[in-house]
Every structure is written in C-alpha cells, then in structure tokens.
C-alpha cells in the first residue's frame, strides 16, 4: 500500500467495505496506521506481508473482490527482470484469492512492464480484460501516480476479471 493515499481514499469512498493494505515495510505501515486513526477510518486492516506470499498462501481462496496492484517496481534492467512481481506464478496465485468475477487492477508508468503483463494475461484463460471494472476508482491516485503525472508521465491502468 506504499504511503497509503490510495488505500485511505478507497476506504473513505467505500466505508461499507473492508480494505486490506499490504506492505513489507513496517515503518510505512506504522505511518499509515496513524493516518487511518487521524481520519477515523474503521474499515482498513493493515498487513505486513510480501505480496507473493500473501496471495500464495496467507489469504484464503476466493476471499478478495478486487486486488489493486498499483505502481509495482518494474525492475526495468534485463538482469533484474527475475525480481518482477507480475509473473505467471503471481497471477495464478492472484486467481486463487480472487472470487469468481473478482477484479485485478494493475497500474504503472512503465509501458514495457504493462505490455509484458498484457502478453502474459492474454495467455491465461482465467483472466478476461475488463477495463470498466475500476472506473469508479480511477480518480484515486497513489503518491507515485501524482509524482509521475506532475512530470508529464502517463500512468496506465489495466483491469481484468477472474473468469468463474
């Protein structure tokens, strides 16, 4: 969840929904917890977790309605591509935790990363493109997204539904 701007705004937009925020950095989570308290939000749970492990075995099957993967590190150097989060392994794990019809939302300013994601998703029969599935949250921005837009960069958003 990074610094938490999107997480906070999502929870405020949908006070009747439980919003899970996940990050590996404890300091970020502590700062976000203070922001949650200041805003009086009661529908956010924070998890200190590695994303691959979280969707791999820490969450139960079919428990997530929407998963927002916003601005993951693209690891653009060829020698670092093995560190990328979005891989076939990750997407299979995401499919396990998404409920049927659940949505995967991915955003990045790094076009090659999103292009490789689109190529990968096209090969997976459990994901169907659903660009309108996140229309209600596109106005919510992460801190990275605001920074990149201020620099004239475009942040692309992709959305997919998990086929039944």
């Amino acid at each position: 969840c990074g610094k938490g701007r999107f997480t906070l705004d999502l929870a405020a937009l949908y006070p009747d929904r439980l919003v899970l925020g996940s990050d590996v950095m404890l300091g970020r989570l502590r700062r976000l917890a203070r922001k949650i308290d200041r805003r009086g939000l009661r529908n956010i749970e924070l998890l200190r977790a590695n994303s691959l492990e979280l969707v791999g075995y820490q969450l139960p099957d079919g428990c997530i309605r929407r998963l927002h993967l916003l601005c993951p590190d693209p690891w653009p150097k060829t020698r670092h591509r093995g560190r990328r989060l979005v891989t076939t392994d990750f997407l299979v794990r995401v499919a396990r935790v998404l409920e049927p019809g659940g949505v995967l939302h991915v955003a990045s300013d790094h076009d090659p990363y999103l292009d490789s994601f689109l190529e990968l998703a096209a090969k997976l029969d459990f994901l169907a493109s659903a660009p309108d599935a996140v229309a209600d949250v596109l106005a919510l921005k992460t801190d990275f997204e605001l920074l990149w837009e201020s620099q004239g960069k475009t942040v692309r958003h992709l959305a997919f539904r998990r086929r039944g």
Side-chain angles (χ1 to χ4, degrees):
C1 55
K3 294 180 182 178
R5 177 183 299 272
F6 180 88
T7 304
L8 292 166
D9 291 344
L10 184 64
L13 181 63
Y14 292 109
D16 58 321
R17 297 182 186 174
L18 175 62
V19 175
L20 299 176
S22 166
D23 205 297
V24 294
M25 297 180 72
L26 187 57
R28 279 186 186 168
L29 293 171
R30 287 181 175 152
R31 285 188 292 280
L32 181 52
R34 289 191 294 272
K35 292 176 187 178
I36 291 167
D37 286 341
R38 281 196 299 270
R39 289 182 63 172
L41 297 168
R42 301 288 172 246
N43 60 327
I44 299 178
E45 291 290 332
L46 298 178
L47 306 167
R48 184 176 187 198
N50 169 293
S51 296
L52 188 60
E53 294 169 1
L54 185 64
V55 297
Y57 60 86
Q58 293 174 320
L59 292 173
D61 293 355
C63 69
I64 301 294
R65 181 179 301 152
R66 288 203 296 196
L67 192 147
H68 303 277
L69 181 60
L70 307 175
C71 308
D73 191 334
W75 294 101
K77 294 180 181 176
T78 302
R79 70 177 187 263
H80 292 154
R81 292 221 172 127
R83 296 181 179 175
R84 284 183 172 178
L85 177 62
V86 179
T87 61
T88 304
D89 180 38
F90 177 73
L91 292 176
V92 168
R93 294 172 189 222
V94 165
R96 184 190 66 77
V97 299
L98 283 177
E99 65 183 28
V103 173
L104 170 61
H105 172 203
V106 181
S108 178
D109 73 317
H110 194 261
D111 286 335
Y113 193 22
L114 286 181
D115 291 342
S116 68
F117 176 83
L118 284 170
E119 288 176 25
L120 180 59
K123 297 174 185 174
L124 303 173
D125 62 355
F126 53 82
L127 290 177
S129 180
D132 295 333
V134 292
D136 60 323
V137 298
L138 290 180
L140 308 181
K141 307 285 183 181
T142 68
D143 288 305
F144 280 121
E145 193 167 2
L146 291 173
L147 173 67
W148 292 327
E149 287 179 350
S150 75
Q151 296 173 356
K153 295 180 182 179
T154 300
V155 176
R156 289 171 48 202
H157 292 261
L158 306 174
F160 298 84
R161 284 201 186 276
R162 183 191 186 291
R163 291 189 170 116

